[in-house]
Amino acid sequence: MQDRAASAVVLELRDVAKSFGSVVALRSGSLTVERGSIHAVVGENGAGKSTLVKIVAGVHRRDEGVFRFLGEDVDFATTAASKAAGIAVIYQEPTLFPDLSVAENIFMGRQPRGRGRRIDYGRMYDESDRLFARLGVHIDPRRPARGLSIADQQVIEIAKAISLDATLLIMDEPTAALSGVEVERLFAIARSLRDEGRGLVFISHRFDEVFALCDHITVMRDGSYVSTDRTTDTDVDAIVSRMVGREVAELFPKTPAEVGDVVLEVDGLTSAGVFHDVSFEVRAGEIVGLAGLVGAGRSEIARAVFGVDRYDDGAVRLLGRKVPAHNPRAAIRAGMAFVPEDRRRQGLVIEESVARNVGSVIRRGLARAGVLTSAAENRAAGPWAGRLEVKTSALDMRASTMSGGNQQKVVIAKWLATEPRLLIIDEPTRGIDIGTKAEVHRLLSELAGQGMAILMISSELPEVLGMADRVLVVCEGRITAELDRAAATPERVMRAATRTSAHATAAAADEQKSEVTA
Amino acid sequence: MSDTLLVEPSAQPAAARVLGTLLRSREIAIGAVLVLLVVLTTLKSSGFVFSSDGWRNLLVSPALLLILAVGQAVVIITRNVDLSVGSTLGLTAYLTGKVFIASPGMPVVAVFVIGLAFGGLLGLVNGLLVAYGRVPAMVITLGTLYIYRGVFLSWAGSDRVNADDFPQGFNDLGTASVLSVPVVMLIALAVMAVVGYYLRTARGGRELYATGSDPDAATLYGLPVIRRVLVAFVLSGALAGVAGVVYAARYGTVSSGAGSGLELQAVGAAVIGGVAIAGGVGTVWGAALGAVLLITINRALPMVGISDFWQRAVVGALIIAAIVLDRVLAARQERQLVAARDLARREPDRRKAGTPA
């Protein structure tokens, strides 16, 4: 115990590698976190940050490399083992038990116990209240976790991690869904934990946050360690160029296209608790980007437009004709195509062949007297897959064996076969390697050039700014800004994206106060 | 307001909260249906309750299924299902007979312990196959349903255990009463109380709910998912074993068909009682009430002159209605909770109410 307590280094990873089958997720990850410091890990999607986190958390086991915690070699086989050792992790995506109460979600497995080893519910609720007060939010600990907004779910994850009283706290993009006030609170807590001598790891895409909070910054690229610096010794430009390893401008080759007539018209779309009074239009040849925080309601708006989800009020028109609500088939017939965020689960029949996937939405058109032949499917799929340069040796190959980039192209090919007028695409390059990313961007740009209207949702700000002719910013289910290409700067988009009610009221109150004192 | 109870339960006084939750619970609804059923049937034929036989049957008949439903509820809460309990019950009942034939002087308590252990062992086999084989529980336990029954058939053949094979003290257990409540029912109620208490107040019990609510989240959380699933199946098997001993005491005769089909009734009882088939939701009280309702309906319907065909149809309709009701209520609750986000946004002051100065 003496040695453990004396160790100045909380976490040490050296040349850690992890592969899943033939896919290398982490080539050589290195990270050294000292006591009493906050260490940022940055890198593009797919750089291996999350894999690194999951190895430390005991979700995955490393294939090779050194993994030391508090100076001792460790190898966590389960999440329980890493938790017991004193590691708390806030995962990128909240993992809650929807049927259980908020308090139980925080304290599951270590509920406060009273006499006779019975759970002391009263104390559990009180402690939850205290945690939320510390975080400056109000969530009823007795309510079920079901139906909470992403931001509130993230707050619960944070409360859970803090209550663990861990030596090492890892936060994997904890702020993606949080408003300004909540982020400030989190940072205050992170600093106080640092001052108590704990180690913290902070993963984020927002550089202002990284530089405001962290002492050290480690850059990763393509599954490998690149560099570690003190934040005071470096700047955003240096970090970004190390992250991408090339000029940013090369990535997003949107070419200007002639903007034509209105294709999609959305008018006053409302769904209680999800989004409100959403109105916008998309013209032919135009790429419109929907930007905003995770959980702001962008995907939900897209799903409602396409008819996957219900909406309470408002109308959707395509080429001037009303599209019936909650009816994806009618939306497809009207000329819409939808590439969902989670393509493995929603966009592809993973165990089916490429040809069958491409043909799946136009089956009816392909079928002869109700019989669908593989030959007909292959005939229909061939030209599309060829055009998109899908790298599968044969159309018979299973979609599950392809890379993320190629899968995405298959999904797009599938929809192009319906010859849509409007393409809605949610996170077009999530989890796609950089080379293929540019190809997907080139493809979208080309499609717009041919007169297709494209509505693109993306959480990657550079992608939105590089690709979109017009940017709509969504915040808490409302469109808070509409910026054309020239006006869309990262600062403007982020300001509109975090313009929360709590934030706004606080700012308004401050203004009033200053007026009074003046 | 109903929304407040859902979104901000703490804002209400404790008594109102407890009362509100109770009134909205499935247990109360099933209880009310049960009382109504008993009252209506008694009006039609007063012997249903008000005869010594009627009263006894009302309480004795559901006891077996009640024990099975409690075990089944625990398994379903972990997002699994145990279809082998009918076979386990039959096999244990026969074993009970064989134990008494081999050593007639065996104390009754020891026989219960043997039944409990033997059933638990069969449950452990289920649990190991489900937890480590990563095959859906429905497939595994459908397999063991036939395997356990097959073992029973080849062991017993056309042989059967009769009441003469049991000591008098054991046979009496099936008919004895304490304060006019049959002992068999007391055993069932004790089982329900112990398991219900565990599920509510022990960490392990709550982890069963968490495991069923989202198994992946439970793994990420570091909960011992495999151990909890094992516990659930061992418990279900052990209770089926206890039910087997009770079966032997109550009927006196055990042939190789004993307990056939009871597994589906147990699942039906749990579902009617509000245990969600997708896991994470429900109580053993609900499952117990479901079991009593199921048995009582089967006894009441002939008395009010409804034919056998319609009796089965009514039970089927009840199960479907329970599942549809679950879905509708869950969807409505989710919509209310989602819509309540607007409320929280409109009242930022309240969101910041907990802010320390």
Side-chain angles (χ1 to χ4, degrees):
Chain A
M1 275 319 274
Q2 279 292 315
D3 285 354
R4 287 184 60 162
S7 172
V9 173
V10 178
L11 174 72
E12 186 184 357
L13 294 170
R14 226 175 327 113
D15 299 325
V16 171
K18 176 75 194 175
S19 302
F20 299 98
S22 60
V23 183
V24 181
L26 192 60
R27 223 171 288 281
S28 107
S30 297
L31 179 66
T32 305
V33 182
E34 289 163 25
R35 268 183 186 286
S37 82
I38 306 178
H39 201 117
V41 178
V42 298
E44 287 204 304
N45 287 339
K49 296 166 295 181
S50 290
T51 309
L52 196 75
V53 169
K54 286 185 172 162
I55 287 171
V56 178
V59 178
H60 302 316
R61 284 174 96 158
R62 67 191 192 281
D63 297 333
E64 51 192 282
V66 177
F67 178 8
R68 286 200 190 102
F69 182 63
L70 296 172
E72 286 174 11
D73 282 305
V74 285
D75 182 19
F76 299 129
T78 62
T79 44
S82 86
K83 212 169 165 179
I87 297 174
V89 182
I90 300 169
Y91 295 101
Q92 206 170 344
E93 274 142 35
T95 47
L96 300 179
F97 308 114
D99 304 302
L100 302 181
S101 74
V102 166
E104 283 203 284
N105 266 288
I106 297 175
F107 290 106
M108 180 57 65
R110 50 195 180 82
Q111 295 97 331
R113 287 193 289 209
R115 294 163 57 88
R117 294 163 61 85
R118 287 166 49 204
I119 293 171
D120 187 342
Y121 281 92
R123 217 167 90 210
M124 188 165 82
Y125 295 132
D126 289 346
E127 283 184 24
S128 307
D129 273 332
R130 264 199 295 283
L131 281 168
F132 288 138
R134 201 171 157 196
L135 284 164
V137 294
H138 175 78
I139 301 173
D140 193 319
R142 286 187 175 84
R143 65 160 283 168
R146 171 166 285 136
L148 282 171
S149 69
I150 301 276
D152 284 346
Q153 290 182 32
Q154 197 60 266
V155 167
I156 292 175
E157 287 284 335
I158 293 168
K160 190 157 87 182
I162 292 173
S163 70
L164 274 170
D165 197 28
T167 320
L168 175 68
L169 175 63
I170 302 177
M171 303 182 278
D172 192 355
E173 298 201 40
T175 58
L178 299 189
S179 69
V181 182
E182 290 158 343
V183 169
E184 274 311 311
R185 284 275 172 184
L186 174 62
F187 284 7
I189 291 167
R191 290 193 185 100
S192 74
L193 292 174
R194 174 192 63 191
D195 297 342
E196 287 169 17
R198 301 167 204 271
L200 289 90
V201 175
F202 180 71
I203 295 176
S204 176
H205 283 299
R206 298 193 202 161
F207 289 110
D208 51 336
E209 291 179 359
V210 167
F211 279 87
L213 181 68
C214 303
D215 310 308
H216 296 87
I217 179 164
T218 289
V219 180
M220 291 182 70
R221 184 176 70 221
D222 298 336
S224 297
Y225 169 86
V226 177
S227 67
T228 300
D229 296 281
R230 299 191 69 85
T231 37
T232 46
D233 299 343
T234 185
D235 58 33
V236 175
D237 291 340
I239 297 294
V240 170
S241 67
R242 272 182 229 156
M243 262 170 64
V244 288
R246 77 198 73 177
E247 286 303 309
V248 185
E250 284 174 25
L251 274 171
F252 309 99
K254 159 72 178 162
T255 46
E258 199 172 315
V259 174
D261 297 333
V262 174
V263 174
L264 174 74
E265 222 177 319
V266 175
D267 189 20
L269 217 57
T270 296
S271 174
V274 186
F275 51 81
H276 296 273
D277 198 21
V278 172
S279 304
F280 63 91
E281 47 180 54
V282 185
R283 290 167 176 275
E286 192 182 35
I287 299 183
V288 172
L290 272 184
L293 302 183
V294 174
R298 295 166 304 165
S299 300
E300 289 79 0
I301 292 171
R303 289 166 59 86
V305 167
F306 188 64
V308 183
D309 292 348
R310 297 171 185 284
Y311 49 86
D312 302 326
D313 204 9
V316 176
R317 283 186 206 84
L318 198 76
L319 301 167
R321 287 183 37 203
K322 198 166 181 308
V323 183
H326 197 51
N327 186 345
R329 291 176 64 107
I332 294 172
R333 267 200 304 277
M336 277 194 214
F338 180 50
V339 179
E341 182 178 1
D342 185 349
R343 54 182 172 271
R344 284 188 75 87
R345 269 159 64 177
Q346 300 169 2
L348 272 181
V349 186
I350 280 292
E351 296 303 327
E352 285 281 13
S353 74
V354 172
R356 187 147 294 173
N357 266 297
V358 173
S360 62
V361 280
I362 50 164
R363 282 231 167 124
R364 284 169 175 264
L366 287 180
R368 291 267 177 280
V371 179
L372 187 67
T373 62
S374 292
E377 278 180 335
N378 278 329
R379 264 201 309 283
W384 292 110
R387 190 170 141 203
L388 301 181
E389 300 164 31
V390 175
K391 288 182 197 111
T392 44
S393 40
L395 289 170
D396 296 333
M397 194 171 162
R398 277 189 180 188
S400 58
T401 56
M402 296 189 305
S403 72
N406 277 325
Q407 283 181 6
Q408 182 68 302
K409 287 201 262 180
V410 170
V411 177
I412 297 176
K414 162 179 142 175
W415 284 110
L416 294 185
T418 67
E419 296 178 13
R421 299 297 307 273
L422 170 75
L423 174 68
I424 305 174
I425 186 159
D426 197 351
E427 302 289 358
T429 59
R430 170 163 292 178
I432 289 178
D433 58 278
I434 292 173
T436 327
K437 227 174 194 172
E439 283 179 45
V440 171
H441 289 145
R442 201 168 295 126
L443 171 66
L444 290 178
S445 171
E446 221 177 277
L447 292 172
Q450 291 159 15
M452 196 182 285
I454 298 178
L455 180 63
M456 180 185 79
I457 299 166
S458 175
S459 296
E460 287 179 53
L461 205 45
E463 181 168 275
V464 175
L465 298 180
M467 290 294 295
D469 296 299
R470 216 147 39 86
V471 181
L472 303 173
V473 187
V474 184
C475 173
E476 292 197 346
R478 290 173 198 280
I479 292 184
T480 49
E482 179 171 350
L483 307 164
D484 60 28
R485 198 184 181 81
T489 61
E491 294 76 23
R492 280 193 182 140
V493 173
M494 280 318 284
R495 206 176 306 129
T498 55
R499 193 188 286 158
T500 68
S501 50
H503 210 172
T505 358
D510 285 347
E511 271 172 31
Q512 275 179 355
K513 248 183 254 161
S514 58
E515 271 171 29
V516 171
T517 45
Chain B
M1 209 179 93
S2 58
D3 273 11
T4 327
L5 192 61
L6 205 56
V7 183
E8 291 258 8
S10 300
Q12 299 206 327
R17 187 171 61 230
V18 170
L19 191 69
T21 313
L22 196 70
L23 285 178
R24 295 167 132 226
S25 68
R26 170 68 73 84
E27 291 80 357
I28 287 288
I30 294 292
V33 170
L34 184 61
V35 168
L36 197 71
L37 180 74
V38 172
V39 168
L40 288 179
T41 316
T42 312
L43 287 178
K44 185 110 182 169
S45 145
S46 68
F48 189 64
V49 173
F50 298 111
S51 69
S52 62
D53 246 18
W55 174 249
R56 257 192 57 76
N57 280 334
L58 193 67
L59 292 180
V60 166
S61 314
L64 268 183
L65 188 61
L66 201 159
I67 298 174
L68 289 183
V70 166
Q72 192 66 252
V74 174
V75 173
I76 295 179
I77 281 169
T78 64
R79 202 182 275 188
N80 286 295
V81 72
D82 187 353
L83 296 180
S84 71
V85 289
S87 302
T88 303
L89 180 147
L91 201 48
T92 317
Y94 189 71
L95 176 79
T96 307
K98 285 289 171 195
V99 165
F100 275 124
I101 290 170
S103 56
M106 181 77 76
V108 172
V109 174
V111 172
F112 269 97
V113 170
I114 290 173
L116 193 85
F118 183 67
L121 188 71
L122 297 185
L124 182 66
V125 173
N126 286 330
L128 288 172
L129 288 171
V130 171
Y132 290 103
R134 299 194 179 271
V135 181
M138 189 186 295
V139 180
I140 293 290
T141 57
L142 188 65
T144 51
L145 179 158
Y146 287 110
I147 292 170
Y148 296 166
R149 182 66 64 185
V151 169
F152 189 7
L153 281 171
S154 59
W155 185 18
S158 58
D159 175 41
R160 57 184 204 177
V161 182
N162 293 308
D164 310 343
D165 299 326
F166 296 113
Q168 193 52 42
F170 185 71
N171 280 328
D172 286 348
L173 205 65
T175 49
S177 291
V178 176
L179 296 173
S180 82
V181 179
V183 169
V184 173
M185 192 58 176
L186 287 177
I187 294 173
L189 290 177
V191 162
M192 177 189 77
V194 170
V195 175
Y197 184 78
Y198 172 75
L199 285 187
R200 173 71 191 155
T201 63
R203 284 182 183 172
R206 302 314 293 170
E207 286 177 12
L208 292 171
Y209 282 90
T211 303
S213 187
D214 188 338
D216 295 338
T219 308
L220 269 189
Y221 211 117
L223 299 184
V225 174
I226 288 183
R227 201 160 80 217
R228 293 292 160 238
V229 171
L230 281 179
V231 164
F233 274 101
V234 169
L235 186 75
S236 172
L239 292 186
V242 170
V245 180
V246 172
Y247 182 97
R250 171 153 155 63
Y251 295 104
T253 308
V254 185
S255 63
S256 59
S260 291
L262 271 180
E263 59 281 334
L264 294 183
Q265 287 196 48
V267 174
V271 168
I272 289 171
V275 180
I277 205 79
V281 180
T283 62
V284 293
W285 330 114
L289 281 167
V292 176
L293 181 66
L294 207 58
I295 296 289
T296 310
I297 278 190
N298 277 327
R299 287 188 48 244
L301 292 182
M303 293 189 119
V304 294
I306 291 174
S307 74
D308 189 51
F309 169 78
W310 285 109
Q311 287 170 39
R312 285 166 190 271
V314 165
V315 170
L318 202 63
I319 293 173
I320 292 174
I323 291 180
V324 170
L325 189 72
D326 278 344
R327 296 279 308 162
V328 170
L329 289 181
R332 202 183 70 152
Q333 191 200 41
E334 178 144 20
R335 263 203 312 282
Q336 282 176 345
L337 285 167
V338 168
R341 291 181 201 162
D342 289 343
L343 231 82
R345 272 171 210 155
R346 246 175 268 133
E347 298 173 49
D349 296 342
R350 226 173 46 176
R351 274 179 73 86
K352 293 194 292 175
T355 312

